[in-house]
Amino acid sequence: MKEQVKLQVTMMGMGYIGLPTAALIASKGIKVNGVDVNKQVVDTINKGKIHIVEPDLEGLVHLAVRKGNLKASFKPVKSDVFLIAVPTPFKKSHQPDLSFVVKATKMVIPFLREGNLFIIESTSPVGTTERIARLIYKERPELKSKIHIAYCPERVLPGSVIYELQQNDRVIGGIDSASTQAAVKFYSRFVKGNLHQTNSRTAEMTKLVENAYRDVNIAFANELSVICEEAGINVNELIRLASKHPRVKILQPGPGVGGHCIAVDPWFIATAFPSQAKIIRLAREVNTLKTEWVITKIKQEVKNLELKIGRKPVVACMGLTYKADIDDLRESPALEIFESLKKSKLSVLAVEPNIREHKKLSITDTVDALKQADIIVFLVNHKEFSSLTINGKIILDFCGINTK
């Protein structure tokens, strides 16, 4: 890709990754056109506001929009760089669903021209970048060997996305060496971390392996929590003591695993390599079963208390997001638990301090929930919950919260 004084970038997808990345790029004086299919998202961004909870993001978006470097729209424009940051969920059979990536690519294809750089950031199965390259060349055969195509996954932590987008190392893999070099040159404009060069297949697998590794380690902690419950041992104390070993660091167990990465990405390996990915598949199953185990424990507690008080107890589900201090509900085990209890006709309250309003959920204020509930169930370790004083209530803690 030739050096351009006025670089134009199109970001396909303005969600939890697309919007922060677009805002960061725009903050460097680069013109960014952010494409999304949601009218509310487009309108919100063009007002200089944000539709997600992420520290430091709103100020960055507001400034970029005010300076004219960031604009949201419903379709791509002619650009030098096109980035794909749309969802890659899985189907019911755990087969990866690449329909969003394909759709975004088809929207971009008419706008591609010689010298462009096309980058997929969406977490994808091995071989996706090459598959998308074939799609592009099928539609626009004159562009073969005339554009650069690469894969570069994000590796950020919700709650500190802006910082990590700049500071974390990135793995960049092109379909050829020229594509890799073009992508490295582009990311060097706004990433301070090291840019590690490889091919697209290795870059794709790197992202999947990172999240599968975390999933396996969480599964170990979650399995320990079930064992400790059976053995009459406090799992949090056990983990604290075992982790005193200089080479042992056990993670915190929870009600399962959620989010757009860890709960999804390992399946991309397990379904593609069913005979080889035994531990990876088992870890996914363990973490899924932990959610079912939590539901069973809550229902049993409700049944026991109902026999004592002669009425249906009220249960407060404290936290609905997939991790602490964010508003992201994607693949959330806490949300799954709440919905399961509600479906079972239990009297259940949804408490989520990071979400004020929701189309499908009726959110109960924390103080009101504590007054109404007989059973307090901690599912997410939000900072707002750590200072609560709770008396005269049954407390079920599935996330290691520290209450007074």
Side-chain angles (χ1 to χ4, degrees):
M1 186 180 67
K2 295 180 181 180
E3 182 72 21
Q4 306 232 1
V5 177
K6 294 292 184 180
L7 201 65
Q8 173 70 52
V9 174
T10 285
M11 171 66 74
M12 301 297 292
M14 295 295 278
Y16 288 92
I17 299 300
L19 176 57
T21 304
L24 178 60
I25 296 171
S27 73
K28 306 303 179 182
I30 299 170
K31 300 288 185 180
V32 181
N33 174 52
V35 179
D36 204 280
V37 296
N38 189 315
K39 185 178 186 300
Q40 181 184 359
V41 169
V42 171
D43 292 344
T44 299
I45 294 170
N46 285 333
K47 292 176 184 176
K49 299 180 180 180
I50 61 176
H51 60 285
I52 58 177
V53 173
E54 180 60 46
D56 304 322
L57 178 59
E58 187 156 19
L60 202 64
V61 169
H62 177 77
L63 188 61
V65 171
R66 185 171 64 84
K67 287 187 173 182
N69 291 326
L70 176 62
K71 181 181 179 181
S73 67
F74 298 106
K75 62 180 182 180
V77 297
K78 287 185 178 180
S79 300
D80 304 290
V81 182
F82 294 87
L83 294 113
I84 308 296
V86 295
T88 48
F90 56 70
K91 303 171 186 177
K92 289 184 178 180
S93 60
H94 294 130
Q95 294 294 326
D97 181 1
L98 293 176
S99 61
F100 296 101
V101 173
V102 171
K103 184 177 180 180
T105 300
K106 287 184 175 180
M107 290 176 67
V108 163
I109 287 175
F111 297 89
L112 290 172
R113 55 189 176 180
E114 183 176 342
N116 280 174
L117 172 60
F118 179 94
I119 304 171
I120 300 174
E121 288 205 353
S122 304
T123 304
S124 304
V126 175
T128 297
T129 308
E130 293 170 340
R131 171 185 167 181
I132 294 300
R134 290 193 294 270
L135 172 63
I136 293 172
Y137 296 148
K138 182 180 179 180
E139 298 286 332
R140 300 281 304 280
E142 75 277 10
L143 291 177
K144 192 167 185 177
S145 302
K146 300 295 185 181
I147 62 173
H148 303 301
I149 301 175
Y151 181 79
C152 180
E154 52 77 22
R155 40 164 60 149
V156 296
L157 181 69
S160 58
V161 169
I162 298 300
Y163 174 81
E164 296 207 350
L165 279 175
Q166 296 182 85
Q167 301 297 331
N168 289 354
D169 287 9
R170 300 293 287 264
V171 175
I172 301 174
I175 59 170
D176 51 43
S177 59
S179 294
T180 303
Q181 292 295 330
V184 167
K185 187 174 184 179
F186 171 66
Y187 280 98
S188 67
R189 293 173 177 271
F190 58 93
V191 175
K192 297 178 182 178
N194 294 321
L195 303 176
H196 303 279
Q197 302 179 35
T198 183
N199 56 66
S200 61
R201 283 181 167 249
T202 303
E204 290 162 345
M205 182 64 93
T206 298
K207 173 64 175 179
L208 302 182
V209 166
E210 289 168 358
N211 286 318
Y213 171 85
R214 296 167 68 195
D215 197 40
V216 169
N217 282 273
I218 295 170
F220 180 76
N222 279 336
E223 189 169 273
L224 272 184
S225 68
V226 176
I227 293 171
C228 286
E229 177 73 17
E230 193 70 23
I233 296 172
N234 184 312
V235 67
N236 295 316
E237 181 183 8
L238 172 71
I239 289 174
R240 179 177 60 82
L241 293 174
S243 295
K244 296 295 183 182
H245 189 289
R247 288 171 294 282
V248 174
K249 185 63 177 178
I250 303 172
L251 300 180
Q252 178 71 43
V257 174
H260 64 293
C261 287
I262 305 179
V264 176
D265 299 357
W267 284 119
F268 292 179
I269 301 177
T271 55
F273 307 96
S275 299
Q276 295 84 10
K278 292 182 172 62
I279 292 177
I280 292 172
R281 177 179 292 273
L282 184 58
R284 272 286 73 233
E285 293 171 352
V286 167
N287 285 328
T288 298
L289 287 172
K290 178 62 186 296
T291 302
E292 297 174 10
W293 182 84
V294 169
I295 293 170
T296 300
K297 295 291 290 184
I298 296 171
K299 287 182 177 179
Q300 187 60 55
E301 196 67 43
V302 168
K303 184 178 179 180
N304 294 340
L305 184 57
E306 187 172 1
L307 291 174
K308 291 181 181 179
I309 64 178
R311 61 173 174 81
K312 186 180 291 185
V314 177
V315 179
C317 287
M318 309 296 286
L320 299 178
T321 58
Y322 82 83
K323 69 183 294 291
D325 305 325
I326 62 172
D327 68 338
D328 197 340
L329 296 170
R330 288 177 294 176
E331 305 295 330
S332 171
L335 179 61
E336 181 182 341
I337 291 164
F338 167 77
E339 290 178 339
S340 176
L341 298 177
K342 191 174 181 180
K343 189 176 181 180
S344 298
K345 307 299 183 183
L346 272 64
S347 180
V348 58
L349 305 174
V351 183
E352 179 45 68
N354 293 292
I355 298 177
R356 295 181 180 179
E357 295 182 0
H358 194 277
K359 292 180 180 179
K360 298 181 180 179
L361 294 170
S362 177
I363 306 296
T364 303
D365 178 75
T366 301
V367 175
D368 291 339
L370 295 183
K371 290 178 181 178
Q372 298 177 46
D374 302 290
I375 302 174
I376 310 296
V377 181
F378 286 105
L379 298 173
V380 187
N381 196 355
H382 289 314
K383 60 185 179 183
E384 289 88 350
F385 298 158
S386 62
S387 59
L388 297 177
T389 300
I390 303 173
N391 297 312
K393 310 281 185 177
I394 293 175
I395 298 176
L396 300 179
D397 180 8
F398 298 107
C399 60
I401 198 81
N402 293 315
T403 57
K404 298 177 181 178

